[in-house]
Amino acid sequence: MSSESYAQPELPDFDLIANLMVAEGVHVVSPSELHGLLSGHLSAGARLEPAVLLQSACDLMDITAFKHENSKVLLLDMYQQTLLMLEAPELIFELSVPDEEQSLAQRAEGLGQWCQGFLSGFGLYGKHTDKTLSKEAKEAFADLNQIAQIVAGVDDDDGSENDLMEVEEYVRMVVLMLFAECNKAEPPANNSPQKTVH
């Protein structure tokens, strides 16, 4: 199947999500952390019904309910687009983090928040302690834990810029690896050992 035969999934704009949070009176969570949480849910193998997803997002944002209908629509779209990106064979998954127009410190902080959200979302399903996880996956999970500690304080120079881009790319690939490992197609339920027919 050629890539032209379907619409490429695309995340809602980072600023759009930030504006949604302002409109909803959310001050405790960043758009990066929210997207990390959704990505963590999906990577752990969870598939949330819309009502459950919206409640989970409200809990994260420390609000009782969404005030605006378009906030719900945007959030559900973000979830769906993230899933499509994770499932796409072309490895097009993206992190929703501040773009190059922001300072390096803001971008580093956003990446740290994204990882925190991912670890929370993944951890809700106990997958990080799953004995079936490969050694590589466990090591990658430990790396994400370290990256989540990133704090503002990096210098705005080319070296730091390249370092941050490399770390961001590493996180992206780790997430794709964890998603692939935890979302293997389940064999059919009746696939227990059977007598061969011929």
Side-chain angles (χ1 to χ4, degrees), residues 42-62:
L42 291 165
S43 295
R47 298 293 179 271
L48 303 182
E49 293 296 319
V52 178
L53 169 63
L54 293 172
Q55 187 55 55
S56 181
C58 285
D59 293 345
L60 177 75
M61 297 182 192
D62 201 23

Side-chain angles (χ1 to χ4, degrees), residues 62 66 72 79 88 90 101 140 143 157 193:
D62 201 23
F66 287 104
K72 298 179 188 176
Y79 186 76
E90 304 90 354
E101 291 175 17
D143 289 342
D157 62 35

Side-chain angles (χ1 to χ4, degrees), residues 95-111:
L95 312 179
S96 187
V97 291
D99 62 24
E100 287 82 9
E101 291 175 17
Q102 306 305 314
S103 74
L104 208 59
Q106 285 175 300
R107 289 162 57 202
E109 188 175 17
L111 182 58

Side-chain angles (χ1 to χ4, degrees), residues 147-165:
I147 296 166
Q149 309 308 315
I150 289 179
V151 290
V154 291
D155 298 321
D156 282 313
D157 62 35
D158 288 342
S160 297
E161 171 84 29
N162 290 338
D163 290 345
L164 183 64
M165 287 172 73

Side-chain angles (χ1 to χ4, degrees), residues 52-166:
V52 178
L53 169 63
L54 293 172
Q55 187 55 55
S56 181
C58 285
D59 293 345
L60 177 75
M61 297 182 192
D62 201 23
I63 56 176
T64 49
F66 287 104
K67 296 183 253 184
H68 307 285
E69 196 60 34
N70 63 326
S71 296
K72 298 179 188 176
V73 173
L74 195 60
L75 189 73
L76 292 171
D77 180 51
M78 187 185 207
Y79 186 76
Q80 188 58 37
Q81 296 302 316
T82 301
L83 176 58
L84 290 171
M85 283 184 155
L86 284 164
E87 290 178 334
E90 304 90 354
L91 308 181
I92 55 171
F93 176 69
E94 294 172 14
L95 312 179
S96 187
V97 291
D99 62 24
E100 287 82 9
E101 291 175 17
Q102 306 305 314
S103 74
L104 208 59
Q106 285 175 300
R107 289 162 57 202
E109 188 175 17
L111 182 58
Q113 290 166 344
W114 193 98
C115 290
Q116 283 169 357
F118 181 88
L119 293 167
S120 298
F122 199 88
L124 278 174
Y125 295 91
K127 277 292 198 179
H128 58 303
T129 57
D130 194 330
K131 302 222 177 352
T132 64
L133 276 185
S134 68
K135 181 169 174 278
E136 291 80 9
K138 288 176 182 162
E139 286 170 359
F141 209 81
D143 289 342
L144 288 183
N145 256 314
Q146 287 189 313
I147 296 166
Q149 309 308 315
I150 289 179
V151 290
V154 291
D155 298 321
D156 282 313
D157 62 35
D158 288 342
S160 297
E161 171 84 29
N162 290 338
D163 290 345
L164 183 64
M165 287 172 73
E166 280 180 24

Side-chain angles (χ1 to χ4, degrees), residues 3-10 81 84 92:
S3 57
E4 288 80 32
S5 59
Y6 73 98
Q8 192 94 314
E10 191 175 337
Q81 296 302 316
L84 290 171
I92 55 171

